[in-house]
Amino acid sequence: MKFFHLSDLHIGLKLINRDLREDQVYILDQIVDIAVREHPDAVLVAGDIYDKAIPSAEAVEIFDHFIGRLSSELPDAAVMLISGNHDSGPRVNCFRSVLSRQNVHMIGLPPATEGEYIEKIVLSDQHGDVNIYLLPFVKPSMVKQIVGTDENGNNLSYNETIRRLIAREDIDPAKRNVIVSHQFYLPAGRKADEVERMDSEIRTVGNIDEVSADVLQAFDYAALGHIHKPMQVGSEFCRYCGTPLACSVSEAGQQKGIVMAELGPKGERKTTVLPLEPLRQVRVIRGVLEEVLEQGCDDYVTVVLTDRVDLDVLDMQDRIRNAFPHLLEIRRETYRKADYENEYTPEKELDPFELCCSFLNEVSAEEKEILKDVINTV
């Protein structure tokens, strides 16, 4: 059984001030082309289909084009999608029964009543059945009727909520089981602060949404969404595939791709990352103005100027925009940084001049004379 693992399409996203419509159509078409080459039995999209809960008409058109091509080019492949924290669950859930008859399974809401369970799609190959569990993004308040509350009547933690949801399922350990989920899973023993997060990700105060990844041990493969950087959560069979396109400057330089998972007989499995090449890269170019201008290109670029002299702002911006038609932003690197290592103690009193020099860190002889004059005047 071969399937593609994708997530966090974020259709409709703007990268700072740039509309990514052309780039998203390009990368989604590339995904379909790779699928035609590899012939997966299923395509799994682990949430955040759209960038906003109420997507624009243009974003819906892009998604329609993508699903239309997948269904047309791979009529025998199952397409399975869940909602993420950026999506509207009820909207993703629309036409669920109609689409399922076309082998497209869009699951927007988790089980909410005692008689409901995580949506399970069963596929079969020469080795038997593969049970694929589709669990959309869950908040504890959404499922408290079936997982309960704590002793004070308050919502359970995200960790306990997901644990109880999965525990309700009758998972057959003799069969191959896959889960598609959109949550913030942490490897056992790791802290949330140790996981590198991208600027484009929504985060909770205090990381209250973290879930221990050991809850996924019952599954032969966990196709996860939510984290934008490709990342394994304990093993290569429990992983985030990352976004197909960079969604922020913090993702500059990342190699994006599709995770292709293959399940043989129970216990035999492997993964392969199929690289994706964007229409335009996201880059950070750092240097003095003249060095930066020599690297002009058509990519999405953040320019960081390191010039230590004043520049003609209008001329500078015009020259940079001409060199980089898809410029994202211009930053200036600050060389003067406070020396916080030089702590003040009662035993080590500094005079005002020494304190100012310590704070400014790099002060020329001419600037020291001006500083002395200012302090003396005060």
Side-chain angles (χ1 to χ4, degrees), residues 247-258:
C247 294
S248 64
V249 175
S250 61
E251 296 170 59
Q254 288 182 11
Q255 175 61 64
K256 302 296 187 178
I258 305 163

Side-chain angles (χ1 to χ4, degrees), residues 99-322:
L99 290 171
S100 65
R101 294 198 290 269
Q102 307 301 317
N103 220 9
V104 176
H105 307 272
M106 291 184 62
I107 312 302
L109 296 172
T113 64
E114 283 294 337
E116 296 178 345
Y117 292 88
I118 299 173
E119 183 76 11
K120 181 175 75 172
I121 308 299
V122 180
L123 301 181
S124 299
D125 63 8
Q126 68 271 30
H127 304 298
D129 291 343
V130 176
N131 301 317
I132 302 179
Y133 293 83
L134 304 176
L135 179 60
F137 176 67
V138 176
K139 291 182 179 179
S141 59
M142 298 165 66
V143 294
K144 65 180 180 181
Q145 288 186 358
I146 57 175
V147 300
T149 57
D150 65 14
E151 62 275 11
N152 298 316
N154 298 319
N155 292 331
L156 298 172
S157 67
Y158 276 78
N159 185 62
E160 186 61 21
T161 295
I162 299 300
R163 192 173 299 277
R164 292 192 186 186
L165 268 181
I166 293 176
R168 294 174 72 244
E169 302 298 320
D170 182 19
I171 300 173
D172 186 348
K175 293 186 177 180
R176 294 167 294 170
N177 300 291
V178 173
I179 189 169
V180 184
S181 180
H182 190 98
Q183 304 287 155
F184 179 30
Y185 290 100
L186 282 176
R190 291 191 64 183
K191 297 179 180 179
D193 294 339
E194 297 172 354
V195 177
E196 184 182 6
R197 306 291 297 275
M198 302 295 102
D199 293 342
S200 52
E201 296 174 25
I202 292 177
R203 309 176 206 184
T204 60
V205 176
N207 295 305
I208 62 169
D209 59 342
E210 66 182 62
V211 180
S212 177
D214 61 6
V215 73
L216 304 172
Q217 290 179 353
F219 300 97
D220 297 272
Y221 187 86
L224 307 179
H226 189 48
I227 302 298
H228 288 185
K229 181 180 180 179
M231 184 181 87
Q232 296 182 13
V233 186
S235 81
E236 65 173 297
F237 307 111
C238 179
R239 66 198 293 168
Y240 291 98
C241 61
T243 57
L245 272 178
C247 294
S248 64
V249 175
S250 61
E251 296 170 59
Q254 288 182 11
Q255 175 61 64
K256 302 296 187 178
I258 305 163
V259 177
M260 182 172 70
E262 297 176 80
L263 303 181
K266 180 72 175 183
E268 294 184 15
R269 50 194 174 162
K270 71 173 185 176
T271 62
T272 308
V273 177
L274 308 175
L276 292 169
E277 296 301 327
L279 182 63
R280 302 177 185 88
Q281 296 284 352
V282 175
R283 300 175 59 194
V284 177
I285 296 179
R286 177 181 279 100
V288 299
L289 179 60
E290 295 306 323
E291 293 174 346
V292 166
L293 293 175
E294 291 175 359
Q295 300 178 60
C297 64
D298 196 45
D299 292 330
Y300 293 116
V301 172
T302 284
V303 168
V304 181
L305 294 174
T306 60
D307 298 79
R308 303 182 73 171
V309 298
D310 290 336
L311 298 170
D312 183 329
V313 175
L314 291 178
D315 177 63
M316 171 194 72
Q317 290 187 353
D318 287 343
R319 293 175 68 190
I320 292 175
R321 292 183 191 283
N322 286 335

Side-chain angles (χ1 to χ4, degrees), residues 4 26-38 40 65-71 73-74 258 276:
F4 279 9
Y26 181 88
I27 209 72
L28 293 174
D29 278 341
Q30 189 176 142
I31 290 169
V32 176
D33 293 340
I34 295 173
V36 170
R37 183 186 77 209
E38 297 291 342
H65 172 75
F66 173 56
I67 296 298
R69 275 205 69 202
L70 268 180
S71 297
E73 301 279 0
L74 299 166
I258 305 163
L276 292 169

